[in-house]
Structures are given as structure tokens and as C-alpha cells.
Amino acid sequence: MNSVIKNKHEVWNQIKSKTDRMLEAIGNKSPHVAGADGRYDDMRLDWWTSGFWPGILWIVYDMTGDERYKNAAWDWDERLSERFLENHYFDHDVGFQFLPTAAIKYKLTGDADAARRALFAANFLAGRFNAQGSFIRAWNGDKHGWSIIDTMMNLSLLFWASEESGDPRFAHIARAHADMVMKQFIREDGSVHHIIRFDPMTGERAEAIGGQGAAPDSAWSRGAAWALYGLTNTYRYTGNPAYLGAAQRVANFFIASLPDHHVPSWDFRAEREGAEDIPRDSSAGSIAASGLLELADALHEPEGGGYGAAARRILSSLHEHYGTWNDSEHEGILLEGTGHKPAGQNVNVSLIYGDYFYVEAIAKINGWQHRIF
Ligand code: GLY
């Protein structure tokens, strides 16, 4: 029934075999999406997903000590940082890119260049803070007043930078953004907005926008997963119980909204909003599961406690029904991810972030201690 609890070592070995196969197939590509042919694409390096494949490599290296994974992961932080010197599109998501490359490389190897690169990225992220509205701005171009829930996961880069440099300004910004999120993004029932647009001059809230969810008042499941995980991290870094309470509220909503098979649809309120086609999003499942394991840890839950058990149910369902274990040609690990449903982009595909958070969660269940986020 709960295959991940019964066979955690076997599931880890399946992940290791899959990573070996990916190592051969992916080479220097920066994978983002694998469609029906099972081949990962090669996305540009400033795209928000470029840290996840090297992140998988660092975790598998840390778990096994096998230098092949370290060697394959080694250059990624340098490759990414070189893009800063060219015309680039880095944004609020640099945490997703530099935590699983530069920061973890520094943590595992002590490489000083990697630490400098992570600090550079943290400065870039801090520079996106709008003091009037207390938000880190999302994206680029003319979206000066936009803020999105995904940014909660990038705050760990700022907390890391304060710890590493001794300069508390990074953490001040991260806390101010998280306080804004609790007021503006998290609803009373624990559901979460994707986008809030502010007036960038006055800092006043202008409107909520549906973004990757079905509608402004819907419940995009991956957004809820980013929120519950990011709020738990913020609690871990600050010790402020308000963040823990908010993380639990979102987690309770997420768990209560899951269907019987434990893997979320792309938006928990898609039906209410009149959507006809409601795909699942396996990536929201793996992100939430890894975040729920953190929440269980933060609450010192005993083995078998509510959040940890919910995480294992999600991971088991993903393992049994969505894994590509029996298809050695498929470069992805999980099927049925949904990237951006309203835009019709990347629906029913493998997504590298779904794969990354699955690997991360299974590593945690097998005793991995070095957090990336
Ligand atoms: N950070 C973008 C997404 O979750 O699709």
C-alpha cells in the first residue's frame, strides 16, 4: 500500500539508476520539460529551472559519495553566473538556480568561488525588493508591481546570505516579504493566490491575478506547495511561530483538497471555476511532499504523524502511478506534470522541478541531512 515506507531503500536505488541513465542522456543540456518522446529539452541557462538537474546530481553525490555526480555537477554554478554578465533574464527565481548549484556546492566542498557566486545572486535578489510595498518583485519588463507566491521558496537564499556574510539585511528583506505574503496571499481557509499586483509607487494592493491558476480566487496547487514549503523554511530560519502557523494552515488546506489517489489536480478549484479539462500536476505533489516532511520535522512530529504521513502517501502514489521506473529510455522521473495550464504550455509532461523535489523528498526519507532550500 504505502510503497515508499515499505521500500524506501529500493525507491532510492530506482532513483539512482534513473539518475545514471539521465547522466548519459542529458550531458550538458539544461533540462526543463520532457514530453511524450521522453527526451528532455535544452532550456536557456537563465530560465528559472536551470538549478534543478545539478541539484539532483549534488543530492545523489552527497548520498553516495560517488565522484561521477560531483564532477557532472561541478561547473553549473559558474555556467549560470557567467550569464549575469550578458543580456539576461534572471529574476526572483535566482534562489531556485543558485541554492541547488552554488550554495550546496559550497556547503559540500567548501569551494570559495561557489560561495561568492551564491552571494552575488543573493545581492541580485535583495535588489528586487520594493520597500514601499514590502515585496520582492517578480519577473522583469514592465511588471514593476508584481509579486508571486513562488518567491517564498527563494527566500532561503537571502537567509543563507545573512548567515554566511553576517549581514542581517538579507534576512530583513526575506522576513518583510514573508510578512507581506501572510497578509496578501494566504487566505483565511489556507488557499493561496498566485499573483498580487501592487502599485509600485505607493505599495498599495491593486489586484489579485490568476496567473498559472484557473482564476484570481482559485487555488493553484503548485502555488500552495511553494507556500507551505517556503513558510516552513522561513520558520526554520527565524523561529517565528507565525510562519509555522501559516505553513500549517496552507498544508491543511492542501491535504484536505487532495483526491483519493493523493496527487493534486493542477488547481484545486478548477471545477468550480468552470474548467473543462483538469489535468493533474505531479510536480505540485512532489514539492508539497518535500515541504510536508520539513513541516513534520519543524513540529518534531513523531514517526507516523499527520504531515509526514501525508507526505508519504503522496510520494507512494507518485511512485506507483507516475514513475518511469520501467521505461529506461524516458529521461524524466515523474509523468503528468503541468507547467502552465491557462497558457496551454507543458501540460501532461515530465518537469525537471517535479523530478528534483521527488529526489529530494526520497533522499530525506532515507536520511539525507544537508538541505538545499
Ligand atoms: N516558478 C514557476 C512555477 O512554479 O511554474
Side-chain angles (χ1 to χ4, degrees), residues 48 92-93 96 139 148 150 194 212 220 222 226 339 353:
W48 74 279
H92 60 278
D93 275 336
F96 281 129
W139 297 309
I148 64 174
D150 322 29
H194 182 200
Q212 281 159 260
W220 179 44
R222 194 161 65 249
W226 294 139
Y353 42 99

Side-chain angles (χ1 to χ4, degrees), residues 148-229:
I148 64 174
I149 194 62
D150 322 29
T151 302
M152 277 308 299
M153 283 298 285
N154 290 285
L155 301 186
S156 296
L157 181 64
L158 298 175
F159 287 120
W160 172 86
S162 271
E163 283 184 355
E164 184 55 33
S165 66
D167 184 337
R169 290 174 306 145
F170 300 101
H172 293 332
I173 289 174
R175 271 199 311 273
H177 180 88
D179 290 345
M180 178 283 297
V181 163
M182 288 199 296
K183 281 200 206 104
Q184 303 288 358
F185 280 82
I186 316 289
R187 304 186 191 105
E188 200 50 43
D189 64 1
S191 65
V192 173
H193 287 291
H194 182 200
I195 302 173
I196 301 292
R197 184 173 68 78
F198 297 90
D199 179 323
M201 285 301 290
T202 65
E204 292 297 313
R205 174 176 170 142
E207 60 176 339
I209 298 174
Q212 281 159 260
D217 291 318
S218 72
W220 179 44
S221 58
R222 194 161 65 249
W226 294 139
L228 76 89
Y229 198 159

Side-chain angles (χ1 to χ4, degrees), residues 275-355:
E276 283 168 11
D277 169 29
I278 307 179
R280 293 175 190 167
D281 181 13
S282 56
S283 78
S286 63
I287 295 159
S290 196
L292 289 168
L293 292 175
E294 291 298 335
L295 186 53
D297 185 73
L299 289 162
H300 307 292
E301 245 187 18
E303 184 90 11
Y307 294 120
R312 284 168 171 79
R313 284 195 298 273
I314 297 170
L315 294 169
S316 292
S317 184
L318 289 171
H319 179 258
E320 283 162 35
H321 307 298
Y322 299 78
T324 61
W325 319 115
N326 297 325
D327 180 358
S328 63
E329 292 306 304
H330 201 295
E331 292 172 16
I333 296 175
L334 294 181
L335 301 170
E336 292 194 51
T338 293
H340 192 329
K341 173 70 173 64
Q345 283 164 3
N346 304 325
V347 177
N348 194 12
V349 292
S350 294
L351 296 163
I352 195 65
Y353 42 99
D355 290 354

